[in-house]
Amino acid sequence: MRIIEWPERRAVKDRGVPIHVALIMDGNRRWGAARGISAVDAHMSSAPALVSCIEEARWLNVSHLTFFALAARNLERSTEEVDSLVKLRRWLWTSEVLEAVEAADANVHVIGEYRDARIVDDILHVVEHGRQGEGKIDVCFAVNYSSRAELLGGLATTDRTSTDRAYDSFSKQTPDIDLLIRPGGEQRLSDFMLWHVAHAELVFTDTLWPDFRGLHFSSAVAEFQQRQRRHGR
């Protein structure tokens, strides 16, 4: 992916943007290893990228923004790393990220498996910071998420809370993903929203997630605008 120059950014907005953009937050551990810091500390560097992407998406008038923040398989890592990952307010929903959500006038959704007691309170906390259907942009966080589990009905249990049912409603009603961006240099989907990416344009970049910023976001949108979308036709 070519990183555009700042003067090109306005043209990206003027050309029209995708309705639904999703990002796979990848590269934290490699970013940390290159700097001699632990994986735990590397995850704590996610907030600036999140804030910048939320601000850029709002400026571009993207209406739906989804972050793949925590895969279900991520919770199979070392005990030390998992203990850090489940403390979502420390690295994912920091005060800076919540301020960006509120400044963007965003509706907030969380999709994934909620029954892990270690993350439920943090999920409810971030949802409370979003608007209730009247915001300017929908911001979704996929947390403890597996697309296979979703497609197989693994989340459709009979003991669901009202918060869980909000997941069902959003998953079924959200538009398909138009643009999927994966920082970090890997080129795979990693079990992320497989139904919704059926006709998505995929953009991969070597930039690691903690270094990803709004200009990278607009650069991916610029590449999307150069594609000829056929939707299988």
Side-chain angles (χ1 to χ4, degrees):
M1 179 183 79
R2 184 183 76 85
I3 308 302
I4 62 174
E5 302 291 337
W6 277 108
E8 300 176 75
R9 183 169 166 261
R10 168 57 67 175
V12 173
K13 183 177 183 178
D14 292 343
R15 285 197 294 265
V17 299
I19 293 172
H20 189 176
V21 179
L23 295 105
I24 298 177
M25 297 164 50
D26 188 32
N28 288 334
R29 294 192 292 180
R30 279 167 285 151
W31 184 89
R35 289 159 177 77
I37 62 176
S38 69
V40 170
D41 290 335
H43 288 301
M44 301 302 150
S45 301
S46 288
L50 281 161
V51 170
S52 192
C53 287
I54 291 169
E55 291 174 345
E56 193 74 1
R58 181 69 188 92
W59 180 78
L60 287 170
N61 294 320
V62 170
S63 60
H64 293 77
L65 179 65
T66 299
F67 295 100
F68 192 11
L70 185 65
R73 284 200 168 186
N74 292 158
L75 299 184
E76 299 173 6
R77 294 176 177 175
S78 70
T79 300
E80 180 186 14
E81 188 172 353
V82 170
D83 286 345
S84 176
L85 288 172
V86 296
K87 296 172 182 174
L88 298 170
R89 289 194 228 184
R90 289 186 58 196
W91 66 273
L92 179 62
W93 296 320
T94 65
S95 59
E96 294 86 356
V97 172
L98 295 182
E99 288 171 6
V101 165
E102 293 176 350
D105 195 20
N107 305 311
V108 177
H109 310 270
V110 181
I111 59 174
E113 177 55 73
Y114 286 10
R115 287 179 292 176
D116 189 322
R118 297 171 295 181
I119 64 175
V120 170
D121 286 345
D122 285 355
I123 289 174
L124 296 176
H125 178 72
V126 72
V127 170
E128 289 171 358
H129 274 76
R131 304 276 289 175
Q132 300 299 315
E134 300 177 355
K136 302 297 185 183
I137 180 173
D138 277 349
V139 178
C140 174
F141 298 92
V143 174
N144 195 17
Y145 176 83
S146 163
S147 186
R148 284 184 173 183
E150 180 186 1
L151 292 172
L152 292 173
L155 302 180
T157 60
T158 57
D159 58 343
R160 305 177 69 80
T161 66
S162 60
T163 306
D164 289 323
R165 286 192 289 274
Y167 161 79
D168 275 345
S169 175
F170 176 75
S171 181
K172 292 174 181 177
Q173 295 178 15
T174 187
D176 282 351
I177 294 169
D178 297 300
L179 169 62
L180 174 62
I181 308 168
R182 180 162 189 157
E186 303 292 349
Q187 299 186 23
R188 54 177 178 266
L189 297 178
S190 297
D191 193 21
F192 176 58
M193 295 190 79
L194 300 178
W195 182 272
H196 294 83
V197 299
H199 299 294
E201 297 297 324
L202 310 181
V203 173
F204 303 102
T205 174
D206 291 334
T207 302
L208 302 176
W209 174 249
D211 292 327
F212 199 87
R213 294 293 184 271
L215 191 61
H216 298 95
F217 188 98
S218 282
S219 297
V221 172
E223 182 162 327
F224 168 88
Q225 292 169 337
Q226 301 303 312
R227 307 275 180 92
Q228 183 177 1
R229 305 188 73 199
R230 298 186 178 89
H231 298 279
R233 293 189 290 269

